[in-house]
Amino acid sequence: MVSKKEMKKIARERIDILFQQAEEIFDVESSLSDRYVEIARNIGMKYNVSIPKEFRRRICRNCKSFLVPGSNCRIRLNSKKKQKIVTCQKCGDVKRYPY
Ligand SMILES: [Zn+2]
């Protein structure tokens, strides 16, 4: 019998691996990256595990695409506001993060 804590640990590891794979496969087949991200999100929901912040920022909150800077998203820094502005080039969604 696997404990709940153990299950969450496994879920987190799987999410980690899926994001690594999404990164690796992107150049070959970007739609697969989106698929991996979707699976990772489903695992997160199923096991009530939150996606780590650094991964969450790689997903477009609007079209759920896996974002790769210089490829399908643009990153700009606003030094005045200390903001990082991420634009998804697939759907045009703009996100702002403090940095
Ligand atoms: Zn998008």
Side-chain angles (χ1 to χ4, degrees):
M1 183 56 186
V2 185
S3 70
K4 219 175 177 179
K5 209 177 145 193
E6 199 70 17
M7 290 280 273
K8 284 199 174 192
K9 191 172 163 266
I10 294 165
R12 265 187 214 104
E13 281 168 6
R14 287 185 63 193
I15 290 169
D16 253 38
I17 291 164
L18 281 160
F19 272 90
Q20 275 170 34
Q21 288 178 330
E23 183 93 60
E24 282 165 17
I25 205 80
F26 187 83
D27 287 333
V28 186
E29 182 57 68
S30 65
S31 63
L32 269 180
S33 300
D34 295 345
R35 180 81 190 116
Y36 289 158
V37 163
E38 194 192 333
I39 297 166
R41 290 177 58 241
N42 286 341
I43 293 171
M45 271 184 269
K46 188 171 172 195
Y47 295 100
N48 206 14
V49 171
S50 60
I51 308 278
K53 205 157 77 181
E54 71 262 33
F55 292 153
R56 238 176 14 233
R57 291 184 175 185
R58 301 294 302 273
I59 312 173
C60 172
R61 77 182 155 184
N62 183 47
C63 67
K64 314 296 179 206
S65 291
F66 182 66
L67 298 175
V68 178
S71 188
N72 65 353
C73 79
R74 196 177 59 215
I75 293 180
R76 273 187 309 170
L77 297 177
N78 185 330
S79 53
K80 249 184 201 166
K81 289 182 179 169
K82 293 252 176 286
Q83 272 182 344
K84 190 174 168 182
I85 302 148
V86 181
T87 309
C88 170
Q89 291 181 316
K90 233 176 181 177
C91 70
D93 191 59
V94 179
K95 276 182 291 188
R96 291 178 175 84
Y97 304 114
Y99 71 85

